[in-house]
Amino acid sequence: MKLYIGQEIEDKEDVYIDASSARSILACGKRGTGKSYTLGNVVEEIHTETDDIVPLVIDPMGIYWTMAEENDDQRDLLWDWGVTEQGFPVNLLVPGDPADRYGDDIVREFRSRGIDLNPLLLNPSDMTPDGWCELFDLNINKPMGITLYRAIRELNEDDTPFYLPDIINKVEMDGSSSDRTKEALLNRLEMARDWDIFADEYQDVWKTFDENRINVLDVSVLDPGQYGLRNLVVDVLGKELFRQRQDARRREEMGLRVEIPKVWLFIDEAHNFVPSGSSSLAKDMLIRWVKEGRQPGLSIVVASQQPSAIDSEVLSQCDITLCHKITTKEDIRSLDKLSQDYMGSNLKTYVRQIDNVGEAVFVDDDEETVQMVKIRPRKSQHGGGEA
C-alpha cells in the first residue's frame, strides 16, 4: 500500500510513502512553508488508498473541516498534476455539545455542507487516579491529592464505569479528610462538570468514529495548555484507542474476527502535546504510541513549525521525516540530530537546498533514502491559510 505525496524535484519521479505497515512520521517547517498542507495530503491518501484504516486528525486550529470542500482554488494546478479536485466525507468530532461550542448557525452550515457532526464525551472512569490529580495539578502527597486519588482508586475497585456525581459523592463521604480539603476539592469537581466534556453514561469511543469518513477532532474549541482540556481529551482518547487496538491485535493473531480497524493519528501543532523539556497530560501516552504503536497497528503523524519544541523521544522514533523550510538555529540543530549515515550529508545541508513553498526533504529510514520532493497539490481545500 503506497501513499502518493509528490514528485522528486529534479527527475520528476513520483514519490510514495510505503504504508503497508504502521509508520511514525514527522512533518515540519516554519509557518507558511506547507507542513499542515502536507499533513492534509497524507490524510487524503490514507482515506483514498486504504479500506482497513481509520484516519483521526487532532485539530488544534479548527481548520481540517475544510477537507469536505473541493480545492477549486488550485484546479488548474491539480490538472497539471493529473489530479482532480475532490471533497472528502468528514466526521467532525466536538468535545461537548456542538451547538454550545459553535452556535446553532455554524452547526447548520456544517451539516448543509455534508459534514457529519458528533459530540465526543469522555468517560471519567477511563482516567487513572494519577490522571485526575494531574488534571487539577494536585500533589498526591498532599491532602487534596490524597483525597482525590483515594476516591478514584476506590471507585475503580468496583470494576464498573463511574461518573462525576460518583466521584463527588465519594469525596463527600470521605471520613479521613477535613471539611476544608473536601470543600476545595468539590469546587474543582463542580468546575469539571461545567466543562461539558464528561459523559453521564458510558460512551464507546468507536461509536463516535466513522470508518468511512475522515475523522477530525476539533480541540480548538477548548482552552490550550499543557494541563488543559485539549491534552486531557487527547490523552483519554489515545489510551482507549491503544487499549482497544491491543485487544484487536490479539484477536487478529488468533485468526478471530476483529471489528476495530487500524488507526492513523494525525496531530498538528504537536509540540503542544509532546513538549520538549516539560510534561503534559498527553505526553506519556503519545510517546508510548510512537514507541509501541506498530505492534497493534497504530501509526502517527506529528506536525509542527517548531520541531525543537517536540520531545526528543518522539523525534528519534519517527521513521519518516518530511521537512519543509526551517531557518531557526535551534530547530535546525534538533533536526540535524536525526541525520543518518546513509544520507551522505547532514539533514541541514538538504534543508538549505529548499527554495520554494511546498518543497520538502523526504527521509525514509526504512528504505534508507533521502529525496528532495515537491509535494502534490491537495485535492481538498486547505484551511490553514492566513486571513
Side-chain angles (χ1 to χ4, degrees):
M1 180 175 61
K2 293 186 175 181
L3 313 177
Y4 176 52
I5 61 167
Q7 295 179 345
E8 282 196 278
I9 292 174
E10 287 192 5
D11 61 18
K12 307 299 183 184
E13 289 290 324
D14 290 342
V15 177
Y16 298 87
I17 291 174
D18 182 357
S20 56
S21 61
R23 306 304 299 262
S24 297
I25 300 175
L26 167 66
C28 60
K30 69 178 185 178
R31 187 173 65 181
T33 58
K35 56 92 182 171
S36 295
Y37 192 98
T38 295
L39 186 146
N41 207 314
V42 180
V43 175
E44 290 180 356
E45 289 291 308
I46 285 293
H47 175 77
T48 303
E49 300 299 324
T50 68
D51 55 12
D52 63 342
I53 294 175
V54 172
L56 169 60
V57 182
I58 306 299
D59 181 6
M61 297 176 290
I63 62 175
Y64 286 94
W65 66 266
T66 60
M67 298 190 75
E69 307 286 312
E70 296 180 355
N71 185 8
D72 293 331
D73 295 339
Q74 294 183 303
R75 180 176 291 145
D76 292 342
L77 180 60
L78 284 161
W79 181 264
D80 292 341
W81 279 71
V83 182
T84 304
E85 68 273 17
Q86 180 183 353
F88 294 90
V90 169
N91 178 32
L92 187 58
L93 300 170
V94 187
D97 187 324
D100 289 341
R101 299 299 189 195
Y102 296 130
D104 291 334
D105 54 341
I106 297 295
V107 168
R108 284 193 297 269
E109 185 62 27
F110 275 139
R111 288 180 171 146
S112 72
R113 298 178 183 221
I115 296 172
D116 200 6
L117 203 60
N118 290 293
L120 177 73
L121 298 174
L122 306 181
N123 299 306
S125 53
D126 287 342
M127 294 174 59
T128 64
D130 293 288
W132 273 104
C133 290
E134 288 178 1
L135 176 62
F136 296 122
D137 196 21
L138 300 179
N139 188 324
I140 61 172
N141 296 311
K142 293 188 176 181
M144 276 201 293
I146 293 170
T147 303
L148 182 58
Y149 190 99
R150 181 166 54 233
I152 302 300
R153 186 190 61 198
E154 291 177 359
L155 287 167
N156 278 331
E157 289 174 354
D158 293 337
D159 200 27
T160 56
F162 58 84
Y163 309 97
L164 271 176
D166 300 312
I167 303 173
I168 291 171
N169 182 64
K170 182 66 72 171
V171 170
E172 289 176 334
M173 301 297 292
D174 190 324
S176 301
S177 299
S178 69
D179 289 343
R180 182 177 179 181
T181 295
K182 289 192 287 187
E183 183 179 357
L185 186 52
L186 290 170
N187 286 338
R188 285 165 172 78
L189 290 168
E190 289 296 339
M191 177 179 66
R193 197 199 296 265
D194 293 338
W195 292 340
D196 192 31
I197 61 171
F198 290 111
D200 54 14
E201 60 181 26
Y202 191 77
Q203 302 292 309
D204 185 341
V205 167
W206 283 106
K207 290 184 179 179
T208 65
F209 289 99
D210 189 329
E211 297 176 25
N212 299 311
R213 290 175 177 257
I214 294 171
N215 297 273
V216 176
L217 175 58
D218 184 4
V219 294
S220 71
V221 299
L222 301 175
D223 291 335
Q226 294 173 354
Y227 292 93
L229 300 186
R230 295 183 184 184
N231 264 276
L232 172 65
V233 171
V234 171
D235 179 55
V236 175
L237 179 60
K239 285 177 178 175
E240 182 62 15
L241 294 178
F242 201 106
R243 183 192 66 78
Q244 293 204 30
R245 267 307 303 174
Q246 279 187 314
D247 294 344
R249 181 59 182 154
R250 200 172 294 117
R251 293 180 62 85
E252 288 171 350
E253 290 173 337
M254 294 178 178
L256 300 175
R257 185 170 177 269
V258 172
E259 296 182 353
I260 308 300
K262 299 171 186 176
V263 177
W264 273 57
L265 180 65
F266 298 82
I267 306 181
D268 209 344
E269 302 298 326
H271 54 274
N272 292 314
F273 301 95
V274 278
S276 175
S278 61
S279 61
S280 77
L281 286 172
K283 186 172 182 177
D284 288 344
M285 180 278 297
L286 290 173
I287 288 176
R288 186 186 182 202
W289 190 298
V290 173
K291 286 185 171 182
E292 304 175 21
R294 281 200 168 202
Q295 195 277 336
L298 298 171
S299 297
I300 188 168
V301 183
V302 293
S304 176
Q305 57 185 283
Q306 295 179 271
S308 62
I310 296 178
D311 190 274
S312 59
E313 285 196 81
V314 174
L315 295 181
S316 64
Q317 294 296 320
C318 289
D319 49 49
I320 285 179
T321 300
L322 282 161
C323 182
H324 294 269
K325 191 70 172 179
I326 289 284
T327 55
T328 63
K329 291 181 179 180
E330 190 174 0
D331 288 328
I332 290 173
R333 279 197 299 267
S334 68
L335 288 171
D336 220 30
K337 293 177 183 178
L338 305 179
S339 299
Q340 304 291 340
D341 290 340
Y342 64 81
M343 295 174 61
S345 298
N346 291 337
L347 186 55
K348 66 182 178 183
T349 303
Y350 291 96
V351 173
R352 287 170 179 162
Q353 297 176 32
I354 297 174
D355 295 322
N356 303 302
V357 172
E359 295 178 355
V361 183
F362 173 43
V363 182
D364 188 331
D365 279 348
D366 282 4
E367 299 293 330
E368 295 192 352
T369 58
V370 55
Q371 299 167 283
M372 303 299 296
V373 177
K374 178 68 176 177
I375 301 297
R376 73 155 173 83
R378 287 264 301 270
K379 299 174 185 177
S380 62
Q381 188 180 117
H382 175 51
E386 295 183 359

